[in-house]
Amino acid sequence: MMRRTWLRGVAALALAFSAPASIGAPQISPPNDIGVTAPASAFRQEPGSDYFLANYTEYETYLKRLAGESDRIKLVDIGKSSEGRTQWMAIVSSPANLARLDTYRDIARRLAKAEGLDDEQAHALAQQGKAVVWIDAGMHATETVTTQSQIHVLYRLLTGNDAETLRILDDVIILFGHANPDGLQLVADWYMRKTDPEKREFGSIPRLYQKYVGHDNNRDYFTSHMAETTNINRVLFRQWFPQIVFNQHQTGPAGTVVFAPPFRDPFNFNYDPLVMSQLSEVGAAMHSRLIAEGKPGSTMRSGAPYSTWHNGMERSIAYFHNSIGLLTEIIGGPTPERIPLVPDTQLPRNDEPMPVAPGPWHLRDSLEYQWSLNRAVLDYASRNRERLLFNIYRMGSNNIARGSRDHWTVTPRRIDALKEAAGDAPPPAEDGIGARAENRVATGLYDKVLRDPALRDPRGYVVPAGQADMPTVTAFLNSLIKNGIDVEKADEAFSLGGAKYPVGSFVVKAAQAYRSHVIDMFEPQDHPHDLEYPGGPPTPPYDIAGYTLAYQMGIAFDRIMEAMDGPFVRVPDLLSPEPGRIIGEGRAGWLIPHDANQSFTLTNRLLAAGIGVSWLKTSSRAGGRRLKPGAIWVPRSARALEILEEGTAGLGINAYGLPTTPLGELLALMPPRIGLVDQYGGVMQADWTQWLLEQHEFPFRRVFPQELDAGGLGEKYDVLVFADDTIPFDKDSLYHPGRSSPQPEARDIPADLRSRLGLITTERTVPQIAAFARAGGTVITIGSANRLAELIGAPAKAALAKEGKPLPRTSFFIPGSLVSARVDNGQPLAYGMPERVDMFFANSQSFQATGSGAVPISWYDQENPLRSGWALGQDKLKGTIAIVDADIGKGKVFMMGPEVTQRAQPYATFKFLFNGLLYGPAVTAE
């Protein structure tokens, strides 16, 4: 889970590699006499031994073998991975519990949902039920400890007959999941490809270790785009409702063995506080078990940067579902290493109670720690079985109550307002009469500021039918449903809060067990001003600070502040877009509104079939409605009608027939030849972009630096896309650092992969990109890749700078948040956009035009543009440009400062990229 920069730092601190373990080392999990095959007998080499990694095929075979040999395990297929492998979950418990799984799953569901139960009934169910614990492995596939250790944990639980094991099996249902089957297969096979064990490594794997997302597979949980994420969310929040979610990672902070909870502040203000107190309990049990067993080197809180703020990770989304989310980060791997000497870790303190001495370390050492950590969590679950079950009900019940009455969430802004109001209050009194008066003042301040009726939490939300981009509304609601949120649909028109809503509108009530997640997806995050010291630089949040999904996806919704009763029916499962249709005869052809992202999918189908498609540059009328500039014109033909009939119905968008060809200037589109720039090893934002292009059926090829350096790009491509992080870091750059994948020696990788090697350079690559653009090509640069736009001569420059250097963090700091910007949607690059949009901004740049060839498409026009997250010095954005349409010679450079495709979440800004792909090569016509 650690970023590569931290991994490199740990490697730099290492003293030396130790010698490999002796061949005669004892087995980690010795054979038994009950007929269950030990790992040493099932694999070509025992998992956990030096220089060996078992792959997913071997793991899967062993799971099936265990399931045939033990009555303590049941295998469940939870879905397919992105590459089509079966994602298995092993359910481990006593034979008696396995025989009644449906009963215990129903108890877990009823308590977690907390609907229609009172405390007495909940206590009765908690007495009958079994604790449910999810433990996964392999999410980040190069973090190999977790996958190899799970093999041994399973074996030990299936063969152990000690009192503790039997008690755990009787009290707990354990769900062992594998989070990334494809990644384990890739990484293990890559590591084992060399016959000389001491030359094995996986630092040079050729692509991301999960298709499209790599490390970001643990940032996908609230959107749930990826197949693996959706499979796990289904288990966690729609089927099994575990009270504990244990997500295992590596590597441990330098000089320690393992990080385990609790975490540093801040925590998110939306979830139930009981989550955090129970999290601390389990964390204490984990550290105490290690120390009691003489296993030093655990750290917590300040020992690492992890917090509980961001919702997108597996263990953190658990908090918004009333589950205890655990994260461990442990040292180790198949290649032996050393624990480095880090002096600060050698002094015992609260957050590092038992330091570990520097010295050699083997994978088998990590596996013993993993066993202890798993054992500690399961022992806690066993001893607290009934309390865990009742408390998940209690939190769900609390959330239902909060959503059913007036409730206020206290955030840093409200505390700032309270402090400001308190500044006008009289000083504290010392006598009794004065003290009573002071109490009245304090109560009045509390009620006035922290219980302001205008600032209470909504009882829920209405998402009206008839929005311009209803397929995106469907995608948003499906993200909620995948996370166990109850969504309702109106089967007739209704009124709420003085507004009228049409039939088919959606309702999301706050009065449900997972209210915390509902609020977090609709309301802005208000991250504290977390400074290293008063007046000092900000402490970066772990991951990002603001991510409100409804804002990112451009969803129109109304907050409802009263009871939400109406003709509502709960949606039973994932939604499909309401079928679109062709409206009118269309004797001349059809117009398609530009508002829906799926209009690009339909456009690409038409272009692929050789059908002429154009954008109408002026506004128009069709089907009794006014269409904004950019409406898509399709002349009549039998083939066009066939594609439109199928496409409108399946994609959920309408087409409007016209009796005559519309008048006005057109942009005639052509199938674009798109090059998506990538690097050896993969760049996550490029691969997220690949996923987006595939979803909307854009034709493209991946392009690597050697091909760019060779030139002649205009012969093969119309558009080159440089996603965030594709331009290597330069210490003098005004743009935040890009990330570069490791570049192995050509001789160390297969010949068919060598063409991917290399990095974009100023000397070789930039002149070829400039020549491509000046000759008529289109270059799209996103986020940190805008450094390239300046290098090739775009008539715009970085605005957030002073004396040629980036603004210091004490002056300007927006660490992954949402900001509001104006949009000129009469420009082709912004066709289909609203007049104002929320942008994802992560230490991004903004621009100033330096020549007449730079047209502002979107810009910041407010002193306080922050919509969700955290911003210092946000006023410095005012008057700067977010999106630029720049001319270079005969070509175009579209500069997009914010990360408009970030993790495929900001649907509201996808059109900037999609329009750019088609607009650059388009030709003006009448």
Side-chain angles (χ1 to χ4, degrees):
M1 192 165 184
M2 314 284 276
R3 292 292 188 189
R4 285 190 176 123
T5 51
W6 195 351
L7 286 169
R8 286 197 294 269
V10 173
L13 287 168
L15 301 179
F17 286 120
S18 67
S22 64
I23 296 174
Q27 291 179 4
I28 301 168
S29 298
N32 63 86
D33 57 3
I34 61 174
V36 177
T37 304
S41 302
F43 294 83
R44 48 195 159 135
Q45 189 174 335
E46 185 178 30
S49 55
D50 290 344
Y51 301 109
F52 174 73
L53 283 180
N55 65 25
Y56 190 77
T57 299
E58 295 166 323
Y59 167 86
E60 180 180 39
T61 300
Y62 187 56
L63 281 183
K64 292 177 179 178
R65 188 168 187 171
L66 292 177
E69 294 174 343
S70 174
D71 58 2
R72 297 180 182 181
I73 181 173
K74 178 179 179 180
L75 282 188
V76 177
D77 175 353
I78 65 172
K80 297 299 182 185
S81 70
S82 296
E83 295 178 11
R85 293 180 175 85
T86 299
Q87 196 168 1
W88 291 105
M89 178 175 73
I91 305 178
V92 174
S93 195
S94 69
N97 290 344
L98 292 180
R100 302 186 63 210
L101 281 182
D102 289 346
T103 298
Y104 293 125
R105 183 171 55 214
D106 185 61
I107 289 173
R109 178 191 61 80
R110 293 181 64 191
L111 289 169
K113 298 296 282 186
E115 293 178 313
L117 295 179
D118 58 28
D119 288 4
E120 184 178 350
Q121 293 168 320
H123 275 300
L125 286 172
Q127 289 173 354
Q128 300 169 34
K130 304 297 180 182
V132 182
V133 177
W134 164 274
I135 303 177
D136 64 26
M139 179 172 285
H140 295 153
T142 52
E143 300 171 8
T144 52
V145 172
T146 65
T147 57
Q148 308 303 294
S149 70
Q150 190 176 83
I151 292 166
H152 291 278
V153 172
L154 282 165
Y155 173 76
R156 290 179 178 185
L157 285 172
L158 298 185
T159 59
N161 285 307
D162 58 281
E164 185 180 51
T165 296
L166 295 177
R167 172 171 51 80
I168 287 170
L169 293 173
D170 190 52
D171 291 336
V172 185
I173 294 170
I174 315 158
L175 311 176
F176 285 102
H178 199 292
N180 183 8
D182 303 336
L184 175 57
Q185 191 74 27
L186 169 68
V187 167
D189 289 350
W190 186 261
Y191 181 82
M192 297 296 293
R193 77 192 189 281
K194 294 183 178 178
T195 55
D196 183 347
E198 295 194 20
K199 292 184 178 179
R200 290 175 180 163
E201 50 78 34
F202 46 73
S204 63
I205 58 173
R207 59 182 176 85
L208 299 181
Y209 52 62
Q210 183 171 321
K211 188 176 182 180
Y212 303 120
V213 294
H215 190 95
D216 269 355
N217 59 6
N218 201 26
R219 301 298 185 274
D220 182 47
Y221 275 82
F222 63 71
T223 40
S224 199
H225 283 317
M226 296 296 111
E228 295 85 346
T229 315
T230 299
N231 295 338
I232 292 173
N233 275 339
R234 187 188 308 113
V235 170
L236 298 184
F237 309 127
R238 303 182 70 196
Q239 293 178 342
W240 268 104
F241 310 93
Q243 297 89 50
I244 296 177
V245 174
F246 188 1
N247 184 215
Q248 302 178 109
H249 289 267
Q250 70 183 84
T251 185
T256 70
V257 175
V258 63
F259 174 90
F263 303 92
R264 73 173 178 95
D265 283 334
F267 67 60
N268 193 291
F269 309 115
N270 287 327
Y271 45 72
D272 194 290
L274 189 52
V275 169
M276 287 294 100
S277 60
Q278 289 189 133
L279 174 62
S280 295
E281 291 178 22
V282 186
M286 298 165 82
H287 290 280
S288 293
R289 182 142 192 153
L290 290 175
I291 293 169
E293 293 179 355
K295 293 173 178 170
S298 66
T299 186
M300 65 193 93
R301 280 183 294 260
S302 63
Y306 312 115
S307 70
T308 59
W309 179 264
H310 183 235
N311 193 329
M313 295 167 278
E314 181 195 288
R315 58 94 185 175
S316 63
I317 201 169
Y319 311 138
F320 299 87
H321 293 75
N322 307 319
S323 295
I324 303 166
L326 304 176
L327 165 77
T328 52
E329 297 272 357
I330 195 166
I331 192 174
T335 301
E337 56 188 292
R338 290 184 65 87
I339 295 176
L341 175 60
V342 178
D344 287 345
T345 66
Q346 293 302 309
L347 186 65
R349 61 191 184 100
N350 249 354
D351 289 354
E352 293 178 23
M354 188 180 181
V356 63
W361 196 263
H362 298 269
L363 181 54
R364 66 176 51 246
D365 300 321
S366 297
L367 266 54
E368 291 303 326
Y369 274 66
Q370 288 283 105
W371 170 241
S372 298
L373 292 164
N374 278 247
R375 194 81 162 178
V377 172
L378 296 175
D379 178 56
Y380 176 90
S382 169
R383 294 179 184 278
N384 294 276
R385 173 189 63 83
E386 188 174 333
R387 194 161 67 92
L388 282 170
L389 287 163
F390 181 80
N391 281 352
I392 201 169
Y393 153 78
R394 170 58 65 217
M395 289 183 279
S397 178
N398 288 345
N399 274 330
I400 291 172
R402 291 176 186 125
S404 303
R405 61 174 185 249
D406 287 348
H407 183 271
W408 290 261
T409 299
V410 178
T411 70
R413 290 179 188 173
R414 303 314 310 144
I415 296 302
D416 290 343
L418 181 62
K419 290 177 179 178
E420 183 177 354
D424 299 327
E430 297 181 2
D431 58 66
I433 296 175
R436 287 194 296 272
E438 180 190 339
N439 286 337
R440 288 194 296 272
V441 170
T443 301
L445 276 174
Y446 182 89
D447 290 341
K448 178 182 177 181
V449 179
L450 298 187
R451 291 295 181 268
D452 183 346
L455 299 176
R456 67 192 189 277
D457 296 336
R459 301 282 182 92
Y461 306 88
V462 174
V463 180
Q467 297 190 35
D469 189 354
M470 284 304 293
T472 290
V473 170
T474 300
F476 169 72
L477 294 170
N478 279 340
S479 290
L480 299 181
I481 293 168
K482 288 178 182 179
N483 273 287
I485 300 304
D486 295 323
V487 174
E488 299 177 51
K489 187 175 183 180
D491 55 13
E492 59 184 80
F494 65 98
S495 297
L496 271 179
K500 295 181 179 180
Y501 299 98
V503 63
S505 295
F506 294 93
V507 169
V508 184
K509 295 178 180 177
Q512 53 181 298
Y514 294 163
R515 172 186 179 274
S516 304
H517 188 73
V518 171
I519 297 294
D520 209 51
M521 293 295 97
F522 278 97
E523 296 297 327
Q525 284 78 46
D526 182 10
H527 194 283
H529 288 289
D530 187 10
L531 306 180
E532 292 182 15
Y533 51 85
T539 300
Y542 186 64
D543 202 66
I544 63 177
Y547 47 84
T548 309
L549 191 58
Y551 290 5
Q552 289 199 75
M553 296 181 79
I555 306 301
F557 65 88
D558 288 336
R559 296 176 174 90
I560 305 300
M561 312 304 292
E562 59 191 40
M564 299 187 68
D565 299 317
F568 311 139
V569 178
R570 185 169 294 180
V571 173
D573 207 339
L574 296 180
L575 296 160
S576 296
E578 289 290 334
R581 59 196 178 97
I582 297 175
I583 301 171
E585 185 178 349
R587 290 193 302 272
W590 301 270
L591 276 178
I592 304 165
H594 206 110
D595 308 80
N597 287 333
Q598 289 290 20
S599 69
F600 292 93
T601 310
L602 187 53
T603 297
N604 286 326
R605 291 179 185 176
L606 292 163
L607 290 173
I611 294 168
V613 181
S614 302
W615 290 344
L616 188 60
K617 297 183 74 172
T618 57
S619 60
S620 56
R621 294 195 65 85
R625 58 173 290 187
R626 174 166 289 279
L627 306 184
K628 294 183 292 188
I632 302 155
W633 169 242
V634 183
R636 186 177 182 88
S637 70
R639 181 62 177 139
L641 178 60
E642 181 183 349
I643 293 172
L644 288 176
E645 285 179 332
E646 180 181 355
T648 55
L651 298 172
I653 56 179
N654 294 331
Y656 298 89
L658 291 185
T660 59
T661 301
L663 299 177
E665 196 173 45
L666 299 172
L667 277 172
L669 307 182
M670 64 179 68
R673 300 174 300 164
I674 300 168
L676 177 62
V677 177
D678 206 344
Q679 292 175 10
Y680 181 93
V683 177
M684 284 186 292
Q685 290 298 346
D687 283 47
W688 272 118
T689 304
Q690 176 180 336
W691 183 81
L692 273 181
L693 297 183
E694 289 179 7
Q695 297 302 302
H696 294 85
E697 302 179 21
F698 280 95
F700 69 94
R701 285 176 48 193
R702 292 166 71 216
V703 187
F704 293 89
Q706 290 182 44
E707 185 177 355
L708 296 176
D709 292 348
L713 297 170
E715 298 172 6
K716 295 176 285 186
Y717 303 106
D718 301 306
V719 185
L720 292 175
V721 179
F722 293 83
D724 187 39
D725 288 340
T726 53
I727 306 301
F729 171 65
D730 183 283
K731 63 182 179 63
D732 297 321
S733 174
L734 295 174
Y735 297 87
H736 70 77
R739 298 186 180 92
S740 299
S741 300
Q743 296 289 299
E745 295 292 334
R747 63 177 180 272
D748 291 334
I749 64 172
D752 62 335
L753 297 175
R754 293 171 188 168
S755 63
R756 301 184 185 185
L757 292 174
L759 297 173
I760 292 170
T761 64
T762 304
E763 298 76 22
R764 294 190 304 274
T765 319
V766 169
Q768 301 298 343
I769 305 300
F772 167 75
R774 293 186 182 284
T778 298
V779 176
I780 298 177
T781 52
I782 303 172
S784 64
N786 282 292
R787 174 173 169 252
L788 174 66
E790 289 200 37
L791 289 173
I792 65 174
K797 67 177 184 179
L800 301 173
K802 184 176 182 180
E803 297 178 355
K805 296 181 179 180
L807 297 176
R809 285 195 308 172
T810 51
S811 172
F812 180 82
F813 185 65
I814 303 182
S817 297
L818 304 181
V819 295
S820 176
R822 290 280 298 179
V823 179
D824 181 356
N825 56 16
Q827 296 286 342
L829 196 58
Y831 281 163
M833 298 283 294
E835 293 182 354
R836 181 167 292 280
V837 70
D838 294 324
M839 302 269 203
F840 182 83
F841 191 104
N843 295 314
S844 312
Q845 258 298 349
S846 194
F847 309 112
Q848 292 176 343
T850 59
S852 59
V855 178
I857 303 300
S858 178
W859 60 93
Y860 305 106
D861 61 344
Q862 297 174 325
E863 292 281 347
N864 299 297
L866 180 68
R867 288 274 283 156
S868 180
W870 182 22
L872 298 176
Q874 58 179 302
D875 59 297
K876 295 176 177 61
L877 284 176
K878 186 176 182 181
T880 66
I881 307 170
I883 309 288
V884 179
D885 175 347
D887 294 330
I888 293 189
K890 298 178 181 178
K892 289 280 190 183
V893 178
F894 301 139
M895 302 173 66
M896 304 179 186
E899 289 76 2
V900 296
T901 60
Q902 193 266 157
R903 293 172 179 163
Q905 293 171 8
Y907 280 56
T909 56
F910 290 169
K911 291 188 190 72
F912 287 126
L913 171 64
F914 295 166
N915 282 330
L917 296 172
L918 296 171
Y919 164 46
V923 178
T924 300
E926 288 294 327

